[in-house]
Amino acid sequence: MERGYKMQQELENGRRCHHRYVDSPPHAYHQNKSDLSSAVLSWKKVLVGRGMHPARPKAKKRQSRAKLLLISFLCIMLITAFLFFVTFAHHIEDDTFFAPDNHGRFFVVFPQEEQGGGLPNSSSLPPVLRSTANEKEKQQQHLTIHNGNYNAVSTMTTNALPQPQDDLWHVSVVILTFKKHDALAKLLSTVISQKGVNLEIIIVDNGCKPATQQVVQDAFNMTLNGTQQQEEEGTRKKIKYEYVQMCHNPGYGLGNNEGVKKASNETKWVLFLNDDIVLKDDDFIHNMFRLGDSHRETAAAVGCVLTTPKGDELIEAGSIIWNDGSAASFGRGRKDLRAPEFSYPRPVDYVSGACLMVDKSVFLNYGGFDHEDYVNYYEDTDLQMHIQHDLGKEVWVQPLSVALHEEHGSLGNKESLELMNKCHKIFFKKWREKLQKYHLPPPVNLPKIEQELAFLRASDVRGRKSDKASILYVDGDVPNKQMGSGFGRAFDNLSILASLGHRVTVVSLNPVTDGWCDVSCLDRIRQLGIEVITDGWGKFFPAKDRFDFYDIVIVSRPGTFLFTYKKLQKLFTKSPFTLIYDSEALTYRRDETLQHLVKEDGIMFPGMKHFEANLKLGGFFSKQQEITMLSMSDQIVTVSVQETKLVKRQISNSTSAETIGHIMDLNAVTTNSFSQRSGILFLGSFHDNMYYNGDAIWYFLDKIYPLVLKNHDDSPATEPIRLTIAGRDIPLELIKYIAKNATLARHVTFLESPENIDDLMEDTRLFIAPHQYGSGIQYKVSEAFAFGVPVILSGLTAEAFGLTKQDKIGCIGTTVDSFKDCILRLYHNETDWKESRENAMEFIRSTHSRDSVVEKWSTVINKALATGRQRHSMFQSAERKDEVLKHKFLKTKVPDFQLRSS
C-alpha cells in the first residue's frame, strides 16, 4: 500500500504516483511441460533421424528392431550398474568400501576385524578417496570414516519448513480488494500455498463485483458468507477462510478495521495485503512471522520487500521518513537486490501498507487505522509512528519476504491530490515534535556521496539513536557456529550486540563461500538483524560511503588485526572510532608451550611439522606482535580470566580489559542414563592438519588410550571402551596412524563433519580434552558441560577454565596415568559419574549464563560509545583535532614477521 507522504515525495520528484485500486494485467505464468508422450516423440525423431524409416523391408526392419532392443538392453544394464555403484557401495581391496551420501561426501567403511595393513597409502586409495585426501580444499569434499558396525550419521539437510505445533491461528491475513478480481486471483493462489504457519484469510470486498465473488468462491470452494476450515493432509498447517462484503466502499482504514474484527481471538498477528501484489515464495508469511516472534519484545510490526513484477528491480526495502515529513523508499530503482544493505532484517521508519504485519493487540489497543482523521492516506503511517514513538517499539522489514508489486496508475484528479495534502498536514501537525527530534533531515543539495551516507544511516533506525552504536565487526571469516575454532563464541557475541539494539556490520578477511558458510548459515546471522558483507575485506575498503559511519570497530584475532589495521588507521584519520580488540586467545602462548614440549620434554608432536612450515612463512605470531596489537587498542576482550590477568600485566593501564567467555544454557541437557551410554568422545576442528587438536588426540592415542584398552585385557569381563573422533577436516595423517595399529583400529570410529552433535552427546558416556598445549578456553568443553557429559580434562585445559581437582567438575588428569585413571573411574562408577555431571551443569549455570555475558558486553560497548562520541566531538574541533590524530593506534606499527629457517 503506497501511502500519502510517499506519493507526495514522488510527485515532487516528477514520478508517476500509484493509487491503491488500479486494475493490474494478469501475470503470465509459464510452465515447463515434460511428459512421456513428448519423450517418446523425441526418441522417435532420433530413430527416424538415424535412418530407421518405416518404409524399409520387413526383414531389415526386424533386424533393426533387434539391434535397437539389444542396444536398449545394454544401455539399461549399464545404467543399472552405474546406479548401483553410486547409490550403494563399491567394493575395493581388503573388503573396504565407500559410498556417497546425500551431499557428495563419501562414507568410507572399514571392516570390524581389521587385519594389519590398515589404510592403504595415498597412491593406492580409490580414486575418489585419493582425490578427497590430496585435493580436499580444492574440491571441497569431506571424508567421513566409520569403523566397524557403527551406524552412519546422516549429514542430509532439508529446506522443509517446520510445521506449526499447535492449533492456534498464528496470522490473520486481511486482504482488502476493490474491483480487481484478476489481481486478487493471483494473490490468493500465493497466499493459500503458504507453508509453516497457521493462517486465516479474510477477504474484505469493497467493490462487490460478481467476478470478484466468483474468484473467492473458486479459490476456496465455499459459500460467500460462510466460514470454512481446511487442514492440509500430512501437515499441521490449517487455513481458515472468510469473505466479507462492504459494497459501499468505506475506504482503506475502515475496510481493514472491519476485516480485523473477523479475526480469531487466538491470532497473534494481522497481515494486511494489498490486492495488487504477489507473494514470491511459499515461506513468505512464515519468514515474516518468524522475524516478528523472534523480536517479540521490541517488534510490533513487520513489512516485506517490494519489487517490480519481474522481480528484477527494487521498489522498497523499508522506507525513510525525514524530519520534514517527506519520505523516501530505500533502494528504489536498484537492480542489486542482494546488496548487503538490503539483505538483513532491520528496524525502519515505516513499511509499505501493501504488505504490513502488525501485532494484533497493538492494533486493537490503538483503535485500528485512524479512518476519521485520515481518509485513504496516512492511516498506516500514523499507526507505525505510534508504534515507534508512543510505544517505544519497532517496525522491521524482512528481506526474505519478497512481494512482486504492480506499481502503476496515478492519483488522477484534483480531488485526490487535495485529499492527500490535507492528510499530510494532519499527519505533520500530529507528529511534528517527534519528527524534528528523532528523524534526520532530508539530504537535499548534498554531494552524492553524502546523500548515500545519509540514506544508509537513515535506513536502519538503530544507526541514529544516541544511545546505540554503529559497530563494524571484523574477523577472519564470518562466524559459522558449526566451524569451531572460536567461531561459535563469535556468533554468540554478535547475537548479543544485536540484541542490545546496536547496528552491526560483519565483514571478513575472506570472501564468503558456500564451503564455509552457505545460504542457511548466512540466514542465521542476518536474521539476528546483522548486515553481512560477503565480498570480503579487500572489496569493502576503501568504502567511501562508510566513512564517518561507525562509532566502534571490533577486530577479532591477531591475523585479522594484522591485515586490517593499516586501512583502519586510514579510516580513523577521516572518522575516528573506538577500537576494541577481541583477542579470542593469546596464540603465542600456545606456540611457546608446543616448542617447549618438543625441545625440553622430547614429545614429538606430529603438528610440529605444520607449525615449523608456517613459522618459516611467517604464519604464526610472536609475543611481541600480539602485545603490540593489544597495546594499540582502546579496549581488550579476552576469553579467560587467566589471559585477562596476563594482558593487564603486560600492557599499560590506558587500555582496559574484560573477560567474555562462552555462552551456554542448559536447554539441551542430555537425558540418557549412565547405563544407556557407552564410549568416549573427542570433538574438534582439525583443518586438515595435526596442529593443536590433531596433536591432542594423537597424544591420547599414543600415550593414554593403550592403557585404557589394556585394562579390558586385564579384566575380560568388562567391555572395551570405544573412542569416537568427530570433527571437521580430519587429517589423513591421523587416519593412517590408527589404520596401521590393528588394536586401535578395532575400537576407534572417525566421524567427519557431523552437522548435529546432539545424538553424539546423548550416547557418549565421557568427553575427553587431552590437550597438552593451547590458549584460551575450548568451546567444545563448555558445550560438553552444558550437555551434561562429564569431561576428562588435561591440566592445561583445567587451568584455562580455572578448575581444580577439588571442584569435582569432570576429572583432571595431569599425567598419563592420572588421565587414564580418571577415564576408568568415571566410566565404571555411576555414582561419581552422576556427581561430576551435576557439578558440571552447575558450573555452566553460574559462569556461562547469557545474562552475565550480555551485561559485560553492555558495559564494554557503553564505555566505547562514550569514548567514541567524545573523540568524534574533539575531531570536529579545530583546536583539538590534533589530539585525536596523536592516538596510539595511529602512532604504532605492528612488528613485521621475522621469518626463520627452523
Side-chain angles (χ1 to χ4, degrees), residues 590-831:
R590 177 172 60 206
D591 300 331
E592 285 181 350
T593 306
L594 169 61
Q595 293 177 86
H596 176 83
L597 290 170
V598 172
K599 294 179 181 178
E600 303 298 327
D601 297 352
I603 304 175
M604 303 309 296
F605 286 107
M608 190 64 182
K609 292 179 293 184
H610 175 80
F611 171 76
E612 289 178 336
N614 278 274
L615 194 64
K616 292 178 181 179
L617 300 174
F620 289 94
F621 299 96
S622 68
K623 179 178 180 179
Q624 182 185 9
Q625 285 176 313
E626 288 202 59
I627 296 301
T628 300
M629 296 177 201
L630 293 166
S631 66
M632 293 169 71
S633 309
D634 293 301
Q635 292 178 252
I636 299 166
V637 173
T638 72
V639 75
S640 70
V641 174
Q642 181 189 44
E643 292 194 349
T644 298
K645 293 178 179 178
L646 186 62
V647 165
K648 288 182 176 180
R649 287 200 302 267
Q650 305 218 27
I651 62 175
S652 67
N653 293 328
S654 61
T655 302
S656 62
E658 181 66 77
T659 303
I660 299 180
H662 301 151
I663 298 173
M664 295 288 162
D665 56 45
L666 299 175
N667 295 333
V669 174
T670 52
T671 58
N672 277 355
S673 65
F674 177 84
S675 61
Q676 291 174 310
R677 301 168 182 262
S678 63
I680 55 181
L681 173 65
F682 179 89
L683 181 65
S685 291
F686 293 90
H687 306 293
D688 204 22
N689 66 74
M690 294 295 290
Y691 176 74
Y692 185 53
N693 279 325
D695 279 342
I697 193 60
W698 171 86
Y699 183 85
F700 177 77
L701 291 165
D702 189 69
K703 310 290 184 185
I704 303 170
Y705 194 44
L707 301 179
V708 174
L709 294 177
K710 185 176 183 300
N711 179 74
H712 164 66
D713 296 336
D714 296 340
S715 306
T718 61
E719 288 289 328
I721 300 175
R722 293 187 60 82
L723 168 66
T724 297
I725 301 173
R728 190 172 299 277
D729 296 329
I730 299 173
L732 189 61
E733 183 178 354
L734 181 60
I735 298 169
K736 287 183 177 181
Y737 175 81
I738 291 178
K740 290 177 182 178
N741 187 316
T743 302
L744 294 179
R746 283 196 296 272
H747 303 295
V748 175
T749 297
F750 285 91
L751 182 59
E752 168 66 36
S753 301
E755 294 193 1
N756 190 308
I757 65 170
D758 294 25
D759 291 340
L760 285 173
M761 292 294 187
E762 191 70 62
D763 294 337
T764 193
R765 191 173 290 179
L766 296 177
F767 187 95
I768 58 170
H771 297 73
Q772 300 303 301
Y773 66 91
S775 57
I777 59 176
Q778 297 167 44
Y779 189 85
K780 294 304 180 186
V781 172
S782 296
E783 208 166 30
F785 284 149
F787 273 107
V789 179
V791 181
I792 312 300
L793 308 99
S794 66
L796 178 135
T797 303
E799 183 182 6
F801 277 90
L803 300 175
T804 65
K805 293 183 178 181
Q806 288 71 32
D807 296 318
K808 294 185 179 180
I809 297 171
C811 187
I812 302 172
T814 55
T815 65
V816 167
D817 286 333
S818 62
F819 202 99
K820 178 261 299 180
D821 292 340
C822 279
I823 291 176
L824 296 177
R825 179 169 64 84
L826 288 187
Y827 194 86
H828 295 296
N829 189 314
E830 183 173 359
T831 301

Side-chain angles (χ1 to χ4, degrees), residues 434-451:
K434 302 296 184 182
L435 288 168
Q436 295 292 321
K437 185 175 182 180
Y438 297 108
H439 293 249
L440 299 176
V444 293
N445 302 323
L446 291 179
K448 181 179 178 182
I449 191 66
E450 293 185 28
Q451 286 187 16

Side-chain angles (χ1 to χ4, degrees), residues 85-102 104-112 114 118-121 124-134 136 141-153 155 722 725 730-732 735-736 738-739 745 748-753:
F85 175 87
V86 299
T87 306
F88 298 101
H90 177 67
H91 287 268
I92 59 174
E93 287 183 40
D94 302 324
D95 295 325
T96 305
F97 60 93
F98 65 95
D101 72 354
N102 294 286
R105 301 169 183 162
F106 287 82
F107 293 99
V108 181
V109 185
F110 295 96
Q112 181 156 357
E114 182 90 12
L119 186 71
N121 61 39
S124 63
L125 292 176
V128 175
L129 179 55
R130 182 170 65 251
S131 172
T132 304
N134 293 341
K136 184 178 297 183
Q141 295 180 355
H142 295 281
L143 175 65
T144 304
I145 310 291
H146 296 283
N147 184 284
N149 53 13
Y150 187 87
N151 292 326
V153 176
T155 56
R722 293 187 60 82
I725 301 173
I730 299 173
L732 189 61
I735 298 169
K736 287 183 177 181
I738 291 178
V748 175
T749 297
F750 285 91
L751 182 59
E752 168 66 36
S753 301

Side-chain angles (χ1 to χ4, degrees), residues 169 171-175 199-205 224-228 240-246 254-267 269-270 272 360 363-364:
W169 304 113
V171 180
S172 296
V173 181
V174 177
I175 302 172
L199 300 178
E200 61 176 1
I201 303 173
I202 303 164
I203 301 101
V204 180
D205 187 355
L224 291 176
N225 294 311
T227 301
Q228 181 178 352
K240 184 170 71 174
Y241 316 96
E242 186 151 355
Y243 177 69
V244 181
Q245 292 178 302
M246 301 188 70
L254 188 57
N256 276 312
N257 289 351
E258 288 300 314
V260 175
K261 290 179 181 178
K262 302 294 183 181
S264 301
N265 292 332
E266 299 88 354
T267 301
W269 297 91
V270 179
F272 300 100
K360 192 177 75 172
F363 185 82
L364 293 176

